[in-house]
Amino acid sequence: MKLHLDLNPEKPATAITHRDKLFLSGSCFTAHMSLRLQDAGFDIACNPAGTVFNPHSIADELMTIIVGKPPESKYIIKRDDRYLSFQAHSDISASTEGELIKKMSSLQAKAAQDLQRSTYLLITLGSAFYYEHIQLKTVVANCHKQTAISFEKKLASPEEIVKQFDSVVTALQTFNPDIKIIFTVSPVRHLRDGVVENNLSKSILRYAIHLLCSHHQNCAYFPAYELINDDLKDYRFYREDLAHPTPQAIDYVWAKLTQTWFDAPTLQLAGLYEEKCRALAHRQKEGDTADAAFLRHLQKLEEKINVLQERTNS
């Protein structure tokens, strides 16, 4: 009995290897993939301004990094004795406005270095709905629990998204000419917008990415959304809120991503790194990282990793 489609995305012409540096930007699904990539031994950078869902804010963040535009104090507010910026997630906060600007400037400077050195940029768009601050006349990356009357909820059109990301891709061609961009649509369902509205939102994002990939040779699409919503297509692969994928579903997408974008040596090396991470996590949970048998096992894994790395780098 066949219970799902077993969608196999088309392999690209070039593969991601451990020689590559990856920069990830976008929704909370980006964070899931960044953790998997990190455990698999990759050099990554992820979301310098924290998790961002809407395409306007993701594009704005990338352009800010590329052109080196400093954080602006007019977007900073105080909430619960912490200073926050409408240009960043609430994870980015400080006890004073000056400290926040300094922190954001430091994160942005590092992000510029990381993005310029990266060979792949992975962008996950979460929702085509966004919020515009009425008084400031700007799209916000996060509302920071401010009163709803301060914002106007809007729906981005495919043309708006394409126009913004056309500018990002063009700017990147000068900033980092060799970078390749992989777009995805987050499989997380934004049910607060409504079921019908969520599907409308995702379809807009998907169509915009289709147009972008047709415009730019260095852009590709990975079907994370389709793998969960059309391939697995079962609420057992969602958490209790019926919006967020379960760890099993994320494992499935990760497996498809590695099968699609990694070559055989990279898959093998990633597997060794993941085995090492699991072993360390298990021992830390048990509270005995000095066990002689465990240390020998860890040393053997490291030797295998070093041998394979030397082989793939030669």
Side-chain angles (χ1 to χ4, degrees):
M1 182 181 295
K2 190 173 182 181
L3 298 176
H4 68 98
L5 291 175
D6 193 21
L7 171 63
N8 291 305
E10 183 179 351
K11 278 186 169 291
T14 57
I16 295 173
T17 73
H18 283 85
R19 293 188 296 273
D20 292 308
K21 180 174 178 60
L22 290 83
F23 192 103
L24 292 86
S25 179
S27 78
C28 55
F29 193 75
T30 298
H32 286 302
M33 291 298 103
S34 69
L35 289 173
R36 301 301 173 98
L37 286 162
Q38 201 166 27
D39 287 349
F42 286 91
D43 184 5
I44 68 155
C46 181
N47 280 346
T51 304
V52 183
F53 298 94
N54 77 79
H56 287 319
S57 293
I58 294 169
D60 283 343
E61 178 189 354
L62 291 170
M63 284 298 288
T64 294
I65 293 168
I66 293 167
V67 302
K69 184 180 178 182
E72 297 185 63
S73 59
K74 67 179 180 180
Y75 298 128
I76 293 176
I77 60 167
K78 186 178 182 181
R79 192 194 81 196
D80 299 331
D81 296 324
R82 299 293 292 177
Y83 285 84
L84 307 161
S85 172
F86 284 129
Q87 296 176 305
H89 191 270
S90 55
D91 288 343
I92 314 296
S93 69
S95 56
T96 69
E97 181 178 320
E99 286 179 11
L100 179 59
I101 290 176
K102 185 177 179 180
K103 179 184 284 189
M104 290 178 66
S105 297
S106 176
L107 288 169
Q108 182 181 314
K110 184 179 184 308
Q113 293 177 350
D114 289 333
L115 185 59
Q116 197 161 39
R117 289 172 47 230
S118 293
T119 43
Y120 285 91
L121 169 61
L122 280 70
I123 300 173
T124 303
L125 306 183
S127 174
F129 285 102
Y130 64 95
Y131 289 87
E132 185 174 85
H133 194 285
I134 296 171
Q135 185 177 353
L136 294 172
K137 293 181 172 51
T138 187
V139 177
V140 299
N142 195 294
C143 293
H144 298 310
K145 299 180 180 179
Q146 300 302 291
T147 175
I149 61 172
S150 300
F151 306 94
E152 183 179 358
K153 184 177 181 180
K154 294 185 176 182
L155 181 65
S157 69
E159 292 76 18
E160 288 173 339
I161 298 169
V162 169
K163 183 179 179 181
Q164 272 202 299
F165 277 98
D166 272 339
S167 298
V168 171
V169 176
T170 301
L172 273 172
Q173 286 172 346
T174 302
F175 187 74
N176 182 351
D178 297 324
I179 200 166
K180 301 177 184 65
I181 303 169
I182 303 172
F183 283 99
T184 68
V185 173
S186 171
V188 176
R189 299 153 63 87
H190 290 249
L191 297 179
R192 287 184 181 179
D193 294 325
V195 173
V196 173
E197 291 79 3
N198 174 73
N199 288 338
L200 171 62
S201 164
K202 300 292 187 183
S203 65
I204 289 172
L205 298 178
R206 181 64 192 93
Y207 181 53
I209 292 172
H210 168 75
L211 294 176
L212 285 164
C213 290
S214 67
H215 293 177
H216 305 281
Q217 289 185 342
N218 65 333
C219 292
Y221 176 68
F222 176 74
Y225 177 82
E226 289 85 350
L227 282 166
I228 292 181
N229 288 277
D230 294 306
D231 186 348
L232 296 179
K233 200 173 178 66
D234 192 320
Y235 277 111
R236 287 177 296 177
F237 293 106
Y238 277 91
R239 294 181 181 271
E240 291 80 1
D241 62 3
L242 301 182
H244 291 81
T246 62
Q248 186 182 16
I250 294 169
D251 286 343
Y252 187 74
V253 175
W254 169 248
K256 292 291 186 179
L257 178 69
T258 61
Q259 291 163 15
T260 303
W261 282 93
F262 297 176
D263 58 18
T266 304
L267 276 170
Q268 187 180 358
L269 186 54
L272 289 172
Y273 272 112
E274 288 171 320
E275 186 179 349
K276 180 183 175 181
C277 282
R278 287 193 297 269
L280 286 168
H282 177 71
R283 276 294 162 180
Q284 287 170 355
K285 187 177 180 181
E286 295 293 322
D288 183 12
T289 56
D291 177 74
F294 167 71
L295 291 175
R296 285 195 298 272
H297 175 62
L298 199 62
Q299 185 178 359
K300 286 181 181 178
L301 280 175
E302 289 174 348
E303 288 172 356
K304 288 180 181 178
I305 287 171
N306 291 335
V307 168
L308 192 54
Q309 276 184 325
E310 288 177 7
R311 191 183 304 162
T312 55
N313 289 334
S314 60

